[in-house]
């Protein structure tokens, strides 16, 4: 973002600061009329349950070494859409004893598969829901075991998580 300053005298210099959650710091010192700043991505840690938040930008004005005043404005920033939860692991395994050893594959009308995943939030978010879809069945949990496989050929298992910001991540195994 660009921070523009309408100074009252060409001799004035400014220090630009921020406050965001429990963070505060200096953006730039000895500024004339403007400065640019890229908001650090880790600011998202302060808003784990929202996709946007507010902070404050302060401009301290100096005449020489004397501070003559401070102005402030509200900063509203959004978590980039690229910040989504992460599906860390996903597995699918046969649960009917002996079938995998005997056939080396899943068997229609015989195999039951257990699908499992792990996931984590990003930049402070937490996982609020899990969803696994397999064999036409839905499991709203980190794992689930299907009934006997209904179809032959490729069977897709879909994995989905939603975090505390309402952001989703999806993956699958065929």
């Amino acid at each position: 973002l660009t921070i523009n300053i309408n100074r009252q005298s060409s001799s004035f210099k400014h220090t630009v600061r921020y406050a965001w959650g429990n963070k505060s710091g200096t953006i730039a010192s000895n500024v004339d009329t403007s400065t640019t700043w890229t908001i650090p991505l880790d600011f998202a840690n302060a808003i784990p349950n929202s996709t946007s938040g507010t902070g404050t930008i302060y401009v301290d004005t100096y005449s020489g070494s004397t501070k003559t005043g401070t102005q402030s404005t509200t900063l509203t920033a959004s978590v980039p859409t690229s910040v989504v939860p992460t599906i860390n692991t996903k597995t699918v395994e046969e649960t009917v004893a002996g079938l995998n050893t005997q056939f080396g594959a899943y068997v229609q009308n015989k195999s039951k598969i257990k699908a499992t995943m792990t996931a984590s939030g990003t930049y402070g978010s937490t996982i609020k829901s899990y969803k696994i879809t397999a064999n036409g069945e839905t499991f709203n949990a980190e794992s689930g075991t299907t009934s006997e496989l209904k179809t032959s050929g490729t069977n897709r298992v879909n994995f989905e998580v939603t975090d505390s910001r309402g952001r989703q991540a999806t993956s699958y195994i065929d």
Side-chain angles (χ1 to χ4, degrees), residues 73-142:
T73 188
T74 300
L75 162 71
T76 301
S78 298
V79 179
T81 56
S82 60
V83 175
V84 296
T86 302
I87 296 175
N88 299 313
T89 63
K90 55 188 187 295
T91 60
V92 176
E93 62 183 318
E94 175 70 71
T95 63
V96 179
L99 278 183
N100 196 29
T101 303
Q102 183 179 358
F103 296 101
Y106 300 112
V107 180
Q108 182 181 6
N109 297 321
K110 298 270 187 210
S111 291
K112 296 180 182 180
I113 60 169
K114 180 179 181 181
T116 305
M117 73 168 132
T118 62
S120 56
T122 307
Y123 289 103
S125 73
T126 56
I127 300 299
K128 290 299 184 186
S129 67
Y130 297 83
K131 182 179 177 182
I132 298 172
T133 306
N135 197 42
E137 301 165 63
T138 298
F139 305 95
N140 294 308
E142 294 172 71

Side-chain angles (χ1 to χ4, degrees), residues 87 117 129-132 158-162 168-171:
I87 296 175
M117 73 168 132
S129 67
Y130 297 83
K131 182 179 177 182
I132 298 172
N158 291 302
F159 300 87
E160 180 182 301
V161 293
T162 303
Q168 295 181 329
T170 61
S171 190

Side-chain angles (χ1 to χ4, degrees), residues 3-5 15-19 55-61 67 69-75:
I3 301 161
N4 294 307
I5 302 165
T15 297
V16 182
R17 301 179 289 117
Y18 70 85
T56 306
I57 299 289
Y58 298 97
V59 177
D60 301 323
T61 300
K67 183 177 175 180
T70 300
Q71 295 290 322
S72 64
T73 188
T74 300
L75 162 71

